[in-house]
Amino acid sequence: WVNVNGQLYTGVLRTFSTTGQGSVLRWSGTLSSPFSFQEVARLDAEAANIAVHNNRLFVGTWPQNYGSLMGYLGYRSNATASIWMSPTLTSTGRLNTGSWQKVWNISDYEVDPIVAKSIGMGAMASFDGYLYFGTMQVPGTGDVVLREAYPTYKGSTGNTYRALALF
């Protein structure tokens, strides 16, 4: 969740779809009716982390594959982790619901397309004019995506583990 001039935004996985897509929602509820949201973006993967930077929202996504809990439950996507940028926010913090842009993808950094399916975006923060972000990999998910891609592979999977990266 982020608060921009009294407007609350959050990222979610679209649970009424098995495509692994995500959304960004703006809370439009009240104290008496708290469960009211407006969808302001639809993303190709689950929205996981959100930050405000240069009067825009930036959202990091997580992949959905057999290596993730949601992947086991059937929410699958071929999309890899990425960062999405919103249009400029208005002075009240409301989002002009124009086009969002994908501004970074894990494949810009990770050269192995199989391992890339197991890496998610980590925390994000705006500081001193820069957007800082990281990556994360749940232990064992690199192994899972490798064995899914190559079911008969019997070798070591040690080369599928990735330390976090900070940008």
Side-chain angles (χ1 to χ4, degrees):
W1 291 87
V2 293
N3 180 341
V4 182
N5 297 325
Q7 301 294 312
L8 291 173
Y9 296 93
T10 191
V12 297
L13 172 68
R14 295 181 53 79
T15 57
F16 294 110
S17 165
T18 56
T19 60
Q21 293 177 329
S23 293
V24 177
L25 305 177
R26 183 181 66 79
W27 184 64
S28 55
T30 63
L31 288 177
S32 60
S33 179
F35 300 108
S36 181
F37 296 90
Q38 174 191 11
E39 183 179 60
V40 297
R42 193 169 282 194
L43 312 174
D44 63 355
E46 177 183 6
N49 296 292
I50 188 167
V52 180
H53 176 68
N54 289 343
N55 206 34
R56 296 175 185 263
L57 295 178
F58 285 80
V59 177
T61 64
W62 287 352
Q64 298 299 324
N65 52 57
Y66 279 132
S68 69
L69 171 63
M70 298 309 287
Y72 285 115
L73 297 176
Y75 299 94
R76 300 289 308 260
S77 172
N78 287 324
T80 53
S82 57
I83 296 177
W84 290 79
M85 178 181 71
S86 78
T88 303
L89 295 162
T90 66
S91 61
T92 61
R94 288 191 181 256
L95 185 61
N96 295 324
T97 56
S99 300
W100 285 61
Q101 292 179 279
K102 187 185 288 190
V103 294
W104 193 84
N105 189 282
I106 192 64
S107 63
D108 296 335
Y109 173 73
E110 173 58 55
V111 296
D112 187 316
I114 302 299
V115 174
K117 292 179 180 183
S118 68
I119 300 172
M121 297 310 304
M124 308 171 78
S126 179
F127 179 73
D128 202 22
Y130 293 94
L131 178 67
Y132 294 89
F133 62 93
T135 64
M136 54 146 303
Q137 184 190 49
V138 175
T141 55
D143 179 45
V144 171
V145 296
L146 175 69
R147 298 216 184 268
E148 180 185 11
Y150 302 100
T152 60
Y153 180 71
K154 303 290 185 213
S156 168
T157 59
N159 290 334
T160 63
Y161 298 108
R162 298 294 185 263
L164 66 87
L166 297 174
F167 298 91

